[in-house]
Amino acid sequence: MSDLAELSAHHLAHLIRVGTVKPSEVMAIHLERISLREPAIGAFQYLDAERAMERAHAADALPVGGPLHGVPFVIKDIIDTEDMPTGWGSDLYADHRPDRNAACVQSFLNAGAIPIGKTVTTEFAYFRPGKTANPANPKHTPGGSSSGSAAAVADCMAPLAFGSQTAASLIRPAAYCGVNPSSALFC
């Protein structure tokens, strides 16, 4: 694994800002990691690697804008995105396509961050567990409803992730999966 995949979002944003790396290089490293680890971890509900790389190449051509310019992120499957399905971890809503982004997603896009995909959640962030395995030990639970987001960050598939906190839905998966304190999960 490239050292770039192990860096915090803050560090990656700095390297992009000063021109040491391009957004497409950062994205390529994270997509390579996903390709390698996703079959064992199952952090993603929806992944569009081609679209993520297109956005990263577009960011390469732009002057550095917002504070997260070119930094990849992932989104828990209960958070609306206009260009990806939001199924709330349920087969009933697997093809649901919101017509707008949640405010948190839009704020990251406005800051220049690039979405990779949607992460696994328990059904409706409460019921049936998802497919995600704990990256520290796949035989152990990854925690609760933000398990896909926590696993993706802990396993260096993305430096940033959106999750949500209801009843330990974020803190338990982050702790169980061993999220590095310099990484970030947001609710």
Side-chain angles (χ1 to χ4, degrees):
M1 172 173 47
S2 166
D3 291 341
L4 282 178
E6 297 178 2
L7 297 179
S8 70
H10 179 266
H11 197 165
L12 289 169
H14 172 74
L15 292 177
I16 291 168
R17 183 165 301 287
V18 299
T20 304
V21 297
K22 295 185 208 176
S24 62
E25 294 170 311
V26 172
M27 185 63 73
I29 291 299
H30 285 92
L31 291 174
E32 180 181 316
R33 179 71 177 170
I34 292 166
S35 176
L36 177 70
R37 296 288 293 159
E38 177 61 11
I41 303 304
F44 285 87
Q45 185 66 34
Y46 177 86
L47 175 66
D48 190 344
E50 185 175 319
R51 178 80 169 124
M53 275 308 297
E54 286 172 5
R55 287 179 171 183
H57 283 298
D60 288 348
L62 296 171
V64 175
L68 294 175
H69 182 88
V71 176
F73 74 106
V74 296
I75 306 138
K76 184 177 178 177
D77 188 38
I78 65 164
I79 300 171
D80 284 352
T81 50
E82 66 185 7
D83 60 351
M84 294 180 263
T86 301
W88 302 295
S90 174
D91 294 338
L92 296 172
Y93 294 98
D95 297 322
H96 173 67
R97 294 279 182 152
D99 60 0
R100 64 182 174 80
N101 290 318
C104 58
V105 172
Q106 192 60 52
S107 69
F108 264 41
L109 295 173
N110 292 346
I114 302 171
I116 299 173
K118 302 295 276 286
T119 55
V120 171
T121 181
T122 57
E123 189 174 38
F124 303 116
Y126 182 72
F127 298 105
R128 183 175 40 119
K131 65 180 180 176
T132 305
N134 186 320
N137 183 340
K139 293 181 180 180
H140 292 173
T141 179
S145 70
S146 295
S147 58
S149 292
V153 171
D155 205 49
C156 302
M157 295 180 192
L160 292 170
F162 279 108
S164 64
Q165 178 72 18
T166 305
S169 296
L170 184 65
I171 58 174
R172 191 174 59 219
Y176 287 10
C177 291
V179 172
N180 182 325
S182 68
S183 299
L185 287 161
F186 297 92
C187 31

